[in-house]
């Protein structure tokens, strides 16, 4: 449990002659969170960006469009000097732009040529089986040529009934027909063709036999394709040659753009500037030293006293250990804590994996998911993915531990269990279930804990866990309020809930034990707690009392979701093994099918084992737990600066 890093609010004032030096110094420290200036009646205005802003912006857009076109992604950095990058930027950028432009234009022309060749091929295809030169289709004064496709079939007898002077070519597969007749018979022949659903086809304008023309077109197509591939290879070589330069240029230009546009966020007058912002208190002296060094002490920088209401607006930077840091992803998914709040990242480092493990609790799934998380973490370099994999690994450690407690492996029981219906064998020979003590509903608490045989006891246990979790939330809320409003307010608003619970427990114990005196004491404490709650939260406090039991009962989802996973795994196991036992005549085929069912079934349950336990464990944190102490809504600490990877000063 920690609080966000302590922040110091500061203001930097100076003459405009040192404006750029001040900005450079702040950017280099990467520590100062600049507050955007809102124009008011003070006379200060938002300034214009520096003169190079427009040029830098254009170059940045160009370099990013080139990077996107070439498909350049982040890689292992090759660190270059910023000055060298800027010195060569214009020449290399023009060279690269020119080379890409030439290649893309040629590729576009060749691709258009490919489309034209494809169009010509489509024109030829209907005529492939007709061995006539296309020059024979035109140039006649006394002949009419019909070239097209029909729906039915056509033979010489149909045409000869109209005229004996004809030449017919017909492909029964493509239904293509080419018919030469005298112009005097053309109308009657056309009526015949119309009756057969004649549709005229375009005759290619070039001469030559279709099959030979097709070969030429295919050769041309292959040649054009080779040229395109060659040009694409050249572009790929540009990617290899310029990748480091492009990444370094993007970084340098991004830095220059940030610096050039900062005047849009700060207050300026004709001769002065004012920059307000925040720095981590432990780093404040570093900021002061950097600004003074860059301006030779001509800038005035000082701390500002914080009013209590101003603390609410301070930017928030987490202050967690490396182990707890991945849980910040879960916090940001909900809402970053306010500056004045406790950061519960280190608390949910324990409670979130605990709830996840309580739900899943299977050694087999823990090993599978843990291996997947480790593999993804090693293969994927993304800073966004690694914390998520760390969280998944934490959850699988918890799942493995509870898998031992539950004695479960992929839905199988590891220890044998004696029941009223016989012995349920376990996977590990000789491991017998030990009966510890009576549970609820006639059940017995055992080790390993067989969840399917002690449902009522597990429900009671999860509700107790829920109450402990909720009371941890009340204690954190107590700490938050005590820090800002004192012990009295903290006790009335959060401590009263614990008093109410104690009263209810004492009253219930007295009632169940037949001790009326204890019952009355508990009832009195309960009433006292309600009075205290009303004093602390007003009438809404007692109205929310039923929600406490509702929240506690909500933790029963731990056993409900866990049982669903067990039953899915058990069903997959039963189907797979019954397939083998059912038919020994085809044992080979059935064994393969059973293995596939086993693998696919457990693969599906593995996916569900990420989603269902994860979502429900997350809900218990966000809704039940956070609702007792957490507001959120903090502003992210976003220092003015850049974390360099590809360049250095």
């Amino acid at each position: 449990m920690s609080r966000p890093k302590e922040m110091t609010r500061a203001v930097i004032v100076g003459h405009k002659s040192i404006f750029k030096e001040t900005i450079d110094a702040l950017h280099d420290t990467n520590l100062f969170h600049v507050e955007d200036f809102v124009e008011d009646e003070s006379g200060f205005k938002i300034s214009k960006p520096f003169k190079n802003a427009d040029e830098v912006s254009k170059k940045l857009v160009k370099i990013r469009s080139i990077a996107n076109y070439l498909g350049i992604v982040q890689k292992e950095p090759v660190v270059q000097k910023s000055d060298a990058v800027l010195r060569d930027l214009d020449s290399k950028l023009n060279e690269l732009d020119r080379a890409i432009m030439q290649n893309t234009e040629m590729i576009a022309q060749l691709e258009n040529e490919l489309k034209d060749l494809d169009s010509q091929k489509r024109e030829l295809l209907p005529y492939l089986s007709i061995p006539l030169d296309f020059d024979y289709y035109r140039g006649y004064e006394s002949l009419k040529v019909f070239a097209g496709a029909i729906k039915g079939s056509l033979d010489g007898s149909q045409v000869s009934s109209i005229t004996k002077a004809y030449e017919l070519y017909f492909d029964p597969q493509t239904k293509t027909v080419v018919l030469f007749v005298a112009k005097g018979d053309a109308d009657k022949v056309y009526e015949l063709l119309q009756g057969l659903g004649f549709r005229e086809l375009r005759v290619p304008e070039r001469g030559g036999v279709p099959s030979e023309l097709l070969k030429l077109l295919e050769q041309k197509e292959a040649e054009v394709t080779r040229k395109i591939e060659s040009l694409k290879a050249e572009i790929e070589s540009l990617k290899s040659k310029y990748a480091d330069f492009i990444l370094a240029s993007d970084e340098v230009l991004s830095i220059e753009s940030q610096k050039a546009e900062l005047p849009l966020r700060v207050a300026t007058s004709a001769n002065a500037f004012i920059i307000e912002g925040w720095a981590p208190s432990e780093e404040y002296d570093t900021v002061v030293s950097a600004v003074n060094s860059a301006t030779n002490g001509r800038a005035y920088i000082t701390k500002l006293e914080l009013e209590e209401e101003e603390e609410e607006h301070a930017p928030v930077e987490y202050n967690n250990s490396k182990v707890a840091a991945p849980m910040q992803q879960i916090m940001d998914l909900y809402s970053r804590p306010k500056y004045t709040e406790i950061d519960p990242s280190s608390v949910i480092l324990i409670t979130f994996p605990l709830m996840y493990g309580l739900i899943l609790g299977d050694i087999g799934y823990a090993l599978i998911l843990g291996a997947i998380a480790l593999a993804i973490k090693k293969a994927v370099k993304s800073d966004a993915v690694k914390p998520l994999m760390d969280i998944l690994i934490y959850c699988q450690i918890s799942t493995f531990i509870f898998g031992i407690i539950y004695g479960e492996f992929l839905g199988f029981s590891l220890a044998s269990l004696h029941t009223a219906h016989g012995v349920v064998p376990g996977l590990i020979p000789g491991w017998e279930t030990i009966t510890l003590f009576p549970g609820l509903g006639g059940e017995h608490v055992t080790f390993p804990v067989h969840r399917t045989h002690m449902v009522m006891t597990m429900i009671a246990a999860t509700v107790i866990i829920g109450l402990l979790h909720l009371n941890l939330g009340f204690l954190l809320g107590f700490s938050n309020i005590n820090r800002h409003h004192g012990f009295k307010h903290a006790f009335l608003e959060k401590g009263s809930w614990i008093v109410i619970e104690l009263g209810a427990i004492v009253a219930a114990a007295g009632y169940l034990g037949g001790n009326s005196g204890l019952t009355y004491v508990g009832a009195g404490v309960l009433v006292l707690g309600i009075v205290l709650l009303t004093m602390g939260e007003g009438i809404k406090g007692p109205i929310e009392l039923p929600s406490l039991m509702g929240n506690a009962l909500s933790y029963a989802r731990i056993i409900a979701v866990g049982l669903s996973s067990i039953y899915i795994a058990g069903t997959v196991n039963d189907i797979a093994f019954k397939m083998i036992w059912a038919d020994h005549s085809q044992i080979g085929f059935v064994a393969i099918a059973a293995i596939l069912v086993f693998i696919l079934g457990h693969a599906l349950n593995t996916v569900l084992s990420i989603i269902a336990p994860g979502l429900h464990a997350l809900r218990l944190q966000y809704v039940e737990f956070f609702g007792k102490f957490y507001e959120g809504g903090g502003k992210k600490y976003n220092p003015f600066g850049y974390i360099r990877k590809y360049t250095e000063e």
Side-chain angles (χ1 to χ4, degrees):
M1 182 174 63
S2 65
R3 294 189 180 276
K5 283 187 178 181
E6 184 180 347
M7 290 287 171
T8 296
R9 187 165 190 177
V11 61
I12 304 170
V13 181
H15 192 271
K16 272 195 170 180
S17 61
I18 59 168
F19 194 18
K20 188 176 186 308
E21 289 82 354
T22 305
I23 289 176
D24 289 342
L26 290 177
H27 194 278
D28 290 343
T29 63
N30 194 27
L31 292 171
F32 197 73
H33 176 104
V34 177
E35 284 283 355
D36 291 343
F37 173 68
V38 178
E39 291 186 356
D40 52 23
E41 298 178 356
S42 64
F44 283 89
K45 303 290 183 183
I46 292 173
S47 183
K48 295 180 180 179
F50 291 144
K51 291 181 180 180
N52 66 334
D54 189 51
E55 181 185 357
V56 168
S57 180
K58 288 178 180 177
K59 289 179 180 178
L60 187 58
V61 169
K62 180 179 284 189
I63 205 75
R64 286 180 177 173
S65 65
I66 290 173
N68 184 60
Y69 177 79
L70 294 178
I72 293 175
V73 295
Q74 291 189 355
K75 49 174 281 192
E76 287 298 318
V78 176
V79 179
Q80 304 178 47
K81 290 289 185 180
S82 297
D83 291 343
V85 173
L86 285 172
R87 186 172 56 250
D88 299 337
L89 181 61
D90 288 339
S91 60
K92 284 189 176 182
L93 190 57
N94 290 333
E95 179 185 341
L96 183 58
D97 190 36
R98 185 167 54 252
I100 290 175
M101 186 72 71
Q102 289 174 351
N103 284 345
T104 52
E105 286 178 356
M106 291 179 67
I107 288 173
Q109 291 175 2
L110 291 170
E111 286 178 342
N112 287 333
E113 189 174 344
L114 270 183
K115 291 178 182 178
D116 183 55
L117 290 171
D118 186 62
S119 178
Q120 292 181 48
K121 282 173 61 177
R122 286 199 299 270
E123 287 182 350
L124 287 176
L125 292 177
Y127 299 100
L128 277 181
S129 62
I130 299 174
L132 280 179
D133 192 308
F134 284 119
D135 285 338
Y136 294 160
Y137 286 68
R138 48 188 165 260
Y140 302 108
E141 294 183 0
S142 59
L143 292 179
K144 173 67 176 177
V145 182
F146 294 98
I150 59 175
K151 294 180 179 178
S153 60
L154 182 66
D155 55 35
S157 62
Q158 292 168 282
V159 181
S160 61
S161 63
I162 298 173
T163 176
K164 301 297 183 183
Y166 70 90
E167 186 73 25
L168 174 65
Y169 298 90
F170 179 66
D171 182 357
Q173 290 186 342
T174 63
K175 304 294 184 181
T176 301
V177 59
V178 177
L179 180 58
F180 296 81
V181 297
K183 281 192 175 180
D185 300 320
D187 291 341
K188 292 182 179 179
V189 171
Y190 183 68
E191 289 180 8
L192 169 65
L193 294 175
Q194 283 290 93
L196 296 172
F198 178 75
R199 176 174 56 85
E200 190 174 3
L201 293 174
R202 184 179 182 276
V203 178
E205 295 179 0
R206 64 189 299 181
V209 177
S211 57
E212 295 175 357
L213 288 175
L214 182 63
K215 288 181 182 178
L216 291 174
L217 289 174
E218 287 176 342
Q219 291 173 0
K220 182 68 173 175
E221 192 176 52
E223 182 182 345
V224 172
T225 302
R226 281 195 298 272
K227 288 181 180 179
I228 291 174
E229 293 302 320
S230 175
L231 290 170
K232 287 183 177 179
E234 287 184 26
I235 291 176
E236 192 65 26
S237 68
L238 290 175
K239 176 180 176 180
S240 302
K241 180 180 178 181
Y242 287 98
D244 293 327
F245 161 74
I246 289 172
L247 291 170
S249 298
D250 186 297
E251 184 168 282
V252 169
L253 291 171
S254 296
I255 291 170
E256 292 302 314
S257 178
Q258 285 182 350
K259 292 179 180 179
E261 293 177 358
L262 185 66
L264 294 170
R265 303 174 57 195
V266 302
T268 62
S269 66
N271 299 307
F273 68 87
I274 300 175
I275 304 175
E276 284 193 47
W278 305 78
S281 297
E282 60 188 21
E283 302 286 356
Y284 175 72
D285 290 341
T286 303
V287 175
V288 173
S289 176
V291 172
N292 286 335
S293 175
T295 63
N296 293 320
R298 290 184 292 160
Y300 175 76
I301 178 169
T302 186
K303 296 180 182 179
L304 295 177
E305 292 297 325
L306 281 183
E307 299 293 336
E308 187 173 326
E309 59 271 12
E310 289 181 314
E311 287 188 338
E312 293 283 327
H313 306 293
V316 174
E317 173 70 342
Y318 289 110
N319 190 25
N320 294 302
S321 65
K322 290 183 69 174
V323 176
M327 309 313 289
Q328 294 166 189
Q329 296 278 346
I330 292 179
M331 294 304 307
D332 284 340
L333 188 63
Y334 183 85
S335 180
R336 188 167 287 230
K338 288 184 178 179
Y339 180 70
T340 54
E341 280 188 298
I342 287 175
D343 170 19
S345 298
S346 55
V347 176
I348 61 174
L349 171 65
I350 299 170
T351 59
F352 178 71
L354 176 69
M355 302 299 175
Y356 185 102
L358 275 166
I359 293 172
L360 186 54
D362 187 287
I363 295 172
Y365 290 126
L367 293 174
I368 293 170
L369 291 172
I372 291 172
L374 285 170
I376 293 175
K377 182 180 177 182
K378 187 174 182 180
V380 180
K381 303 300 182 184
S382 170
D383 293 335
V385 173
K386 286 184 178 180
L388 295 176
M389 293 305 103
D390 286 333
I391 293 170
L392 189 56
I393 290 169
Y394 295 161
C395 289
Q396 300 324 308
I397 293 171
S398 174
T399 299
F400 186 86
I401 293 170
F402 280 101
I404 295 173
I405 295 172
Y406 295 152
E408 294 173 14
F409 185 92
L410 295 179
F412 295 104
S413 176
L414 295 178
S416 58
L417 174 67
H418 294 269
T419 68
H421 304 288
V423 178
V424 179
L427 281 181
I428 300 178
W431 187 1
E432 297 284 340
T433 298
I434 302 171
T435 299
L436 300 176
F437 48 82
L440 300 177
E443 305 164 344
H444 284 83
V445 177
T446 63
F447 181 80
V449 176
H450 294 269
R451 290 185 282 179
T452 55
H453 291 82
M454 44 185 297
V455 176
M456 291 304 299
T457 302
M458 287 298 296
I459 290 174
T462 55
V463 171
I464 292 171
I465 290 170
L467 286 170
L468 293 173
H469 196 216
L470 294 174
N471 280 287
L472 176 59
F474 286 132
L475 291 174
L476 294 178
F478 183 96
S479 176
N480 273 334
I481 298 171
N482 181 53
R483 181 169 182 256
H484 296 284
H485 303 290
F487 179 83
K488 178 182 176 182
H489 284 86
F491 184 76
L492 291 176
E493 289 188 34
K494 300 300 177 182
S496 56
W497 287 95
I498 298 175
V499 173
I500 289 169
E501 291 176 62
L502 288 174
I505 291 170
V506 171
Y511 178 78
L512 294 174
N515 188 333
S516 59
L518 193 61
T519 303
Y520 291 133
V521 171
V525 173
L526 176 62
V527 172
L528 174 62
I530 294 173
V531 172
L532 293 173
L533 179 62
T534 306
M535 292 171 62
E537 296 192 13
I539 192 63
K540 75 170 187 176
I543 292 175
E544 290 179 357
L545 273 175
S547 69
L548 180 62
M549 184 52 65
N551 290 155
L553 291 175
S554 184
Y555 285 80
R557 71 181 66 244
I558 291 173
I559 180 64
V561 180
L563 287 175
S564 69
S565 178
I566 295 173
Y567 290 137
I568 291 172
T571 302
V572 170
N573 296 337
D574 288 344
I575 293 172
F577 283 94
K578 284 180 180 178
M579 287 175 67
I580 297 175
W581 296 332
D583 188 356
H584 295 284
S585 62
Q586 298 181 347
I587 187 66
F589 171 78
V590 173
I592 294 172
I595 291 171
L596 288 175
V597 168
F598 185 84
I599 292 173
L600 293 176
H602 283 294
L604 173 63
N605 205 27
T606 299
V607 175
L608 294 175
S609 296
I610 299 174
I611 298 171
L615 286 178
H616 287 285
L618 206 57
R619 184 194 184 281
L620 292 173
Q621 311 303 316
Y622 286 166
V623 179
E624 278 74 22
F625 184 50
F626 281 8
K628 300 297 173 282
F629 72 98
Y630 189 72
E631 290 184 41
K635 180 169 59 177
K636 183 180 179 181
Y637 169 64
N638 186 24
F640 175 62
Y642 198 98
I643 300 175
R644 294 175 181 263
K645 290 178 63 177
Y646 303 101
T647 61
E648 62 183 8
E649 290 292 344

